[in-house]
Amino acid sequence: MPEYICGVDLGGTKINTGIIDYNGNVLESIKVLTNAQEGAEAGINRICESILQVLKLTGLQIRDLKGIGIGSPGPLDTKKGIILYTSNLPGWGNIHIIDIIKEKLKIPVKIINDANAAALGEFLFGEGRGINNLLYVTISTGIGGGAVIGGKLYGGANSNAVEIGHMTIDINGPKCGCGNYGCFEALASGTAIARFAKNFIESGRDSQIKFLSGNEPIRAEHVFEAARNKDKLALEIIDREAFYLGVGIANLINLYNPQRIVLGGGVSNELEMFYEKMIDTIRKRALKSNVDICEIVKTKLGSDIGIIGAASQFIL
Amino acid sequence: MPEYICGVDLGGTKINTGIIDYNGNVLESIKVLTNAQEGAEAGINRICESILQVLKLTGLQIRDLKGIGIGSPGPLDTKKGIILYTSNLPGWGNIHIIDIIKEKLKIPVKIINDANAAALGEFLFGEGRGINNLLYVTISTGIGGGAVIGGKLYGGANSNAVEIGHMTIDINGPKCGCGNYGCFEALASGTAIARFAKNFIESGRDSQIKFLSGNEPIRAEHVFEAARNKDKLALEIIDREAFYLGVGIANLINLYNPQRIVLGGGVSNELEMFYEKMIDTIRKRALKSNVDICEIVKTKLGSDIGIIGAASQFIL
């Protein structure tokens, strides 16, 4: 009886592959670049090579694995194992990724949306243990979500539920990568933080952010660093982030009525910076009946959540 | 073995009480005014009298009923059977309605949110039969929703999930009764239609709506009537309604990924007027993967849905 599972966290930039046991411990993991622009075939080859390499590191064989679980940006057709299209993996449209990997490695393969994977991982091994109505929210380059309701992943009609990043919160807001306007993601993701900073600086606002970013494009991290140094513009942008996050999360509380929300993703590492104002906005905007029973916490699984969650498909 | 159920549709204006059989047929029903301002005690007495009266009409006794199901505006504590607070029933805060009715009539009593009740009714007897991921949306004085997922009502942590009327869609929008700004309900309910018309007319816009409403306050019905007569302002307001509904429903499609959405409530009676533009907005704003598998239909259960849904608590 196989006692291990392989988890593959397929991202726009990196592929993170690891082996976990049934207690959610990561035995070994490796990261390689996705190089998405080289196309799906090359990318899937890199995934397979990573799996074989990480197996070698652990001294295990393919037959020691119950299966390979993949977490991927969506939307997906999880039943057929297809990546339908995703802005983070250009050229990867309509890719039958499961069939290809099954064929190569002769082992069961499953795929789910990366945020759904993280929700599963939190439910089994993280801050979601014992929680009957759990919502996981990742705030990173984009914003994604997953819900575990009554011990089951809430997939919706075709596994594309909880696409919270593409919820309109400002009907007149900026255009989002999905084609819609004023999406939660277009206003509160790490990318949005960087864009606000860039626009303010280009319009002549003075700020440390400019110097911290040097010759690189401005990233959310530069804004956080400047905010820690009490830079005025950076603090304004953090306040704005707290507000937009608060509005979006208030919506989620009204819509899903979760018992707990676990926040993950790069931006949530800096949660302390905007927590108070975010909670204040949530309290003003969500129904009291729903806010009062909802806890908001930060993930403790770190960057391994992607691997653990993807592998969790073979546990839950 | 009792073969009938009593359903009570408790609204801000009217209490609609009926007896249904296990096939969802309404044997008899009666309507009385809620007179909410007289307080909860008087209102609950009227509910009990209505139940006894409608029983008399059917020739049945209390012992022929499996129970009494109540559908009420929320938020509620459904487990304890409490109406927590609701803007439609002023002064009814923290009312232990179930205990009071149980005590008076000596029969099991259950309560759920009115939109959840309607979702149950649609799932069992209406347009939701056989649908695994069903969303019911009522567009009326307010906007409410209910979801039936895998044959179960999606209640959330404390039965207050799917409060879709209080989802922010315009961060800078008008103030809603709930205290938040730019709620779906504040922009796309029947009340919002009437408010837009009133504001336009007060600002000097010429329209039939003014004459159709006469000395009464403007209602959504006046706008619909004027629109049927090709009144320019009315058609503009209908277009706006189609747009706001489209934005809100696009969010619901991204968030819940339903297989079918059933629309109910007074405004949805006029669905043909704004259907095309609403669908157009949904297609532009929701994810293709989710839109393509979602059907949007109108309820066929008419105004009895409230009774049938409330009673359905004793079936599902």
Side-chain angles (χ1 to χ4, degrees):
Chain A
M1 176 82 181
E3 282 168 25
Y4 304 96
I5 308 156
C6 176
V8 179
D9 178 14
L10 170 59
T13 312
K14 285 168 296 192
I15 300 165
N16 201 2
T17 303
I19 307 290
I20 76 159
D21 64 21
Y22 277 49
N23 296 316
N25 300 307
V26 178
L27 277 64
E28 291 285 355
S29 72
I30 53 171
K31 266 184 201 154
V32 297
L33 290 176
T34 311
N35 292 335
Q37 72 289 351
E38 291 179 8
E41 200 186 327
I44 294 174
N45 280 337
R46 259 190 300 280
I47 290 175
C48 292
E49 283 160 25
S50 294
I51 293 167
L52 297 174
Q53 276 180 36
V54 79
L55 275 172
K56 201 174 277 180
L57 285 175
T58 56
L60 297 170
Q61 311 279 327
I62 281 277
R63 65 168 178 271
D64 298 317
L65 296 178
K66 192 170 176 197
I68 297 165
I70 300 171
S72 165
L76 312 169
D77 182 328
T78 57
K79 278 186 198 140
K80 295 189 185 149
I82 302 173
I83 299 177
L84 294 174
Y85 56 92
T86 160
S87 52
N88 293 327
L89 298 168
W92 285 51
N94 211 27
I95 297 301
H96 288 60
I97 184 166
I98 283 193
D99 285 347
I100 301 172
I101 299 179
K102 263 187 194 167
E103 176 64 28
K104 282 183 195 278
L105 301 181
K106 316 287 178 201
I107 177 172
V109 184
K110 292 182 181 180
I111 188 167
I112 49 172
N113 173 295
D114 43 12
N116 283 347
L120 274 191
E122 291 293 343
F123 177 70
L124 287 173
F125 305 114
E127 294 301 294
R129 272 174 290 189
I131 301 296
N132 218 30
N133 280 275
L134 174 72
L135 195 63
Y136 174 84
V137 174
T138 174
I139 313 146
S140 177
T141 314
I143 291 182
V148 181
I149 312 291
K152 278 188 191 166
L153 194 67
Y154 175 27
N158 65 352
S159 305
N160 292 307
V162 200
E163 278 285 359
I164 62 173
H166 303 293
M167 156 177 78
T168 303
I169 59 172
D170 180 4
I171 222 159
N172 301 305
K175 191 164 187 179
C176 178
C178 75
N180 187 17
Y181 292 83
C183 287
F184 187 23
E185 171 168 312
L187 291 159
S189 64
T191 312
I193 293 174
R195 192 188 63 240
F196 286 130
K198 181 170 170 282
N199 291 349
F200 276 121
I201 287 167
E202 283 177 0
S203 76
R205 284 286 300 267
D206 192 37
S207 166
Q208 279 186 24
I209 297 169
K210 203 170 149 184
F211 305 102
L212 290 169
S213 62
N215 293 324
E216 289 173 44
I218 292 169
R219 294 195 314 273
E221 289 84 345
H222 301 131
V223 179
F224 295 135
E225 199 177 336
R228 267 187 288 272
N229 299 334
K230 311 279 180 229
D231 179 77
K232 198 161 168 279
L233 176 63
L235 290 172
E236 263 178 60
I237 295 171
I238 296 295
D239 262 10
R240 183 187 283 243
E241 171 68 10
F243 173 67
Y244 285 129
L245 266 186
V247 172
I249 291 176
N251 275 2
L252 301 178
I253 287 174
N254 285 346
L255 291 161
Y256 294 109
N257 188 200
Q259 190 181 342
R260 188 174 292 172
I261 296 177
V262 180
L263 301 178
V267 173
S268 71
N269 288 337
E270 307 293 344
L271 187 60
E272 291 69 23
M273 275 195 197
F274 44 78
Y275 185 78
E276 212 168 310
K277 184 157 186 190
M278 177 188 83
I279 293 289
D280 190 48
T281 303
I282 292 170
R283 292 213 160 268
K284 277 188 191 139
R285 290 191 163 246
L287 297 174
K288 190 175 164 6
S289 55
N290 296 29
V291 172
D292 284 353
I293 52 92
C294 181
E295 286 178 287
I296 301 177
V297 301
K298 211 162 95 172
T299 179
K300 287 181 184 147
L301 292 177
S303 63
D304 281 341
I305 178 68
I307 293 174
I308 297 170
S312 296
Q313 295 176 80
F314 282 91
I315 300 179
L316 201 69
Chain B
M1 178 81 180
E3 280 168 27
Y4 303 96
I5 308 157
C6 177
V8 179
D9 178 14
L10 170 59
T13 312
K14 284 168 296 193
I15 299 165
N16 200 2
T17 304
I19 307 292
I20 75 158
D21 64 20
Y22 277 49
N23 296 316
N25 301 307
V26 178
L27 276 64
E28 292 284 355
S29 71
I30 53 171
K31 266 185 199 153
V32 298
L33 290 175
T34 310
N35 292 334
Q37 72 289 350
E38 292 178 7
E41 201 186 326
I44 293 174
N45 280 337
R46 259 190 301 281
I47 290 174
C48 292
E49 283 160 25
S50 295
I51 294 168
L52 297 174
Q53 276 178 35
V54 79
L55 275 173
K56 201 173 279 182
L57 285 175
T58 56
L60 297 169
Q61 311 279 327
I62 281 278
R63 64 168 178 269
D64 297 317
L65 297 178
K66 192 171 176 198
I68 297 164
I70 299 170
S72 164
L76 312 168
D77 181 328
T78 57
K79 276 185 200 141
K80 294 189 186 148
I82 303 173
I83 299 176
L84 294 173
Y85 57 91
T86 159
S87 52
N88 292 327
L89 299 168
W92 286 51
N94 211 27
I95 298 298
H96 288 60
I97 184 165
I98 282 193
D99 285 347
I100 301 172
I101 299 179
K102 262 188 196 165
E103 176 64 27
K104 281 183 196 278
L105 301 181
K106 316 287 180 201
I107 177 173
V109 184
K110 291 183 181 181
I111 189 167
I112 49 172
N113 174 295
D114 44 12
N116 283 347
L120 274 190
E122 291 292 342
F123 177 69
L124 287 173
F125 305 115
E127 293 302 294
R129 273 175 290 189
I131 300 296
N132 218 30
N133 281 274
L134 174 72
L135 195 63
Y136 174 84
V137 175
T138 174
I139 313 147
S140 177
T141 315
I143 291 182
V148 180
I149 311 292
K152 279 188 190 165
L153 194 68
Y154 175 27
N158 64 352
S159 306
N160 291 308
V162 200
E163 279 283 1
I164 61 172
H166 303 293
M167 155 178 78
T168 303
I169 60 171
D170 180 4
I171 222 160
N172 300 305
K175 190 164 188 179
C176 178
C178 75
N180 186 17
Y181 291 85
C183 287
F184 188 22
E185 171 169 312
L187 292 159
S189 64
T191 312
I193 293 174
R195 193 188 63 240
F196 285 131
K198 180 171 171 280
N199 292 349
F200 276 121
I201 287 167
E202 282 178 1
S203 76
R205 284 286 301 266
D206 192 37
S207 166
Q208 278 186 25
I209 297 169
K210 204 169 148 184
F211 305 101
L212 290 170
S213 62
N215 293 324
E216 289 173 44
I218 292 169
R219 294 194 315 273
E221 289 84 346
H222 302 131
V223 178
F224 294 135
E225 199 176 335
R228 268 188 287 272
N229 299 334
K230 311 281 180 226
D231 179 79
K232 198 161 168 278
L233 177 62
L235 291 171
E236 263 179 58
I237 295 170
I238 296 293
D239 263 10
R240 182 188 284 242
E241 171 67 10
F243 173 67
Y244 285 129
L245 266 185
V247 172
I249 292 176
N251 274 2
L252 301 177
I253 288 174
N254 284 347
L255 291 161
Y256 294 110
N257 188 200
Q259 191 181 342
R260 189 174 291 172
I261 297 177
V262 181
L263 300 179
V267 173
S268 70
N269 289 336
E270 307 293 343
L271 187 60
E272 290 70 23
M273 275 194 196
F274 45 78
Y275 185 77
E276 213 168 308
K277 185 158 184 188
M278 178 187 83
I279 294 289
D280 190 49
T281 304
I282 291 170
R283 291 214 161 269
K284 278 189 191 138
R285 290 192 164 245
L287 297 175
K288 190 175 164 7
S289 55
N290 295 29
V291 172
D292 284 352
I293 52 92
C294 181
E295 286 177 287
I296 301 177
V297 301
K298 210 161 95 171
T299 179
K300 288 182 184 144
L301 292 177
S303 64
D304 281 342
I305 179 68
I307 293 173
I308 297 170
S312 297
Q313 294 176 82
F314 282 91
I315 300 179
L316 200 70

